[in-house]
Amino acid sequence: MGTSESSDAGTPQIGPGIRRLRRALDLTLADVAARAGVSAPFLSQVENGRSRPSMGSLQRIADALDTTAVQLLASAEPPRPVDVVRGGSGGEGGQEARMRPLVRGHQRLHALEFTGDHDWGREYRHRNDELLYVVDGSAEVEADGSVYRLDRGDTLYCAAELPHRWRPLEEGTRVLVVGIADGVRVVDDRGC
């Protein structure tokens, strides 16, 4: 019996997905670049796979396209029925901040590991539920107007559409974020 696992031999190419979405929205390179605060030549290089945006730039491009960086990354790879993501596999971002997908491809849920700094000024609101788990260190989370301190092993659940934001409180903090993918619609059928 053999085993099968996918290799991390290449980083997914997000450029074609950005181009497809931009064209589907009937936007020009200049439109998206202006909305995202990046240059049109840089965006063209990203779309053609000649340049990779930082996580900050990717999030601004996603905002300009009315989507999320997670969805852009997920659309870069097909779904996989079984996938192994090794602990040493790379992620997106620089030395200070890194986001590593733990579930790759366009799946029904997303799971991301964040290390380093995180943009406290950015508030998130997702169509579906999300769970934050502090693997190491501590983090501060603001959700629905209240602030919570989470230490190693703590979790915080955020219901769909609830505004929230978070940041690490100490060096070495790792936060795992798990949520239902935006393309999946959860229906409350308790009344049926």
Side-chain angles (χ1 to χ4, degrees):
M1 289 206 288
T3 60
S4 175
E5 66 183 57
S6 70
S7 69
D8 203 293
T11 304
Q13 293 296 314
I14 60 171
I18 291 172
R19 182 174 24 306
R20 278 190 304 276
L21 182 54
R22 176 180 62 77
R23 288 178 176 168
L25 295 171
D26 200 26
L27 297 170
T28 67
L29 269 170
D31 293 335
V32 175
R35 290 180 184 181
V38 299
S39 71
F42 172 71
L43 183 58
S44 176
Q45 289 177 346
V46 169
E47 285 189 358
N48 291 304
R50 292 190 305 267
S51 186
R52 293 189 60 215
S54 67
M55 276 310 297
S57 293
L58 181 61
Q59 187 59 59
R60 289 192 307 275
I61 292 167
D63 289 346
L65 294 169
D66 197 28
T67 190
T68 65
V70 171
Q71 291 294 42
L72 289 176
L73 289 167
S75 69
E77 297 184 66
R80 300 168 179 169
V82 175
D83 188 26
V84 176
V85 179
R86 298 289 180 197
S89 64
E92 301 290 326
Q95 295 291 57
E96 286 78 38
R98 190 169 73 107
M99 182 213 43
R100 184 171 69 101
L102 303 177
V103 175
R104 297 182 288 194
H106 192 69
Q107 307 289 8
R108 292 184 200 136
L109 67 87
H110 64 82
L112 305 164
E113 177 187 64
F114 290 90
T115 55
D117 201 16
H118 193 73
D119 185 5
W120 179 251
R122 179 170 180 79
E123 188 173 78
Y124 296 91
R125 184 184 301 240
H126 304 290
R127 183 179 308 155
N128 294 314
D129 300 350
E130 188 169 81
L131 180 81
L132 283 78
Y133 171 74
V134 177
V135 179
D136 287 311
S138 60
E140 182 175 57
V141 181
E142 183 180 312
D144 200 26
S146 296
V147 177
Y148 304 90
R149 179 189 170 101
L150 301 179
D151 293 308
R152 184 174 185 242
D154 292 345
T155 61
L156 181 132
Y157 165 81
C158 270
E161 298 296 335
L162 192 68
H164 62 283
R165 60 186 177 155
W166 67 271
R167 65 179 166 196
L169 293 176
E170 58 189 86
E171 191 173 322
T173 296
R174 289 188 314 149
V175 175
L176 175 67
V177 177
V178 179
I180 300 168
D182 285 343
V184 176
R185 193 139 207 274
V186 178
V187 178
D188 184 0
D189 63 353
R190 290 178 288 179
C192 295

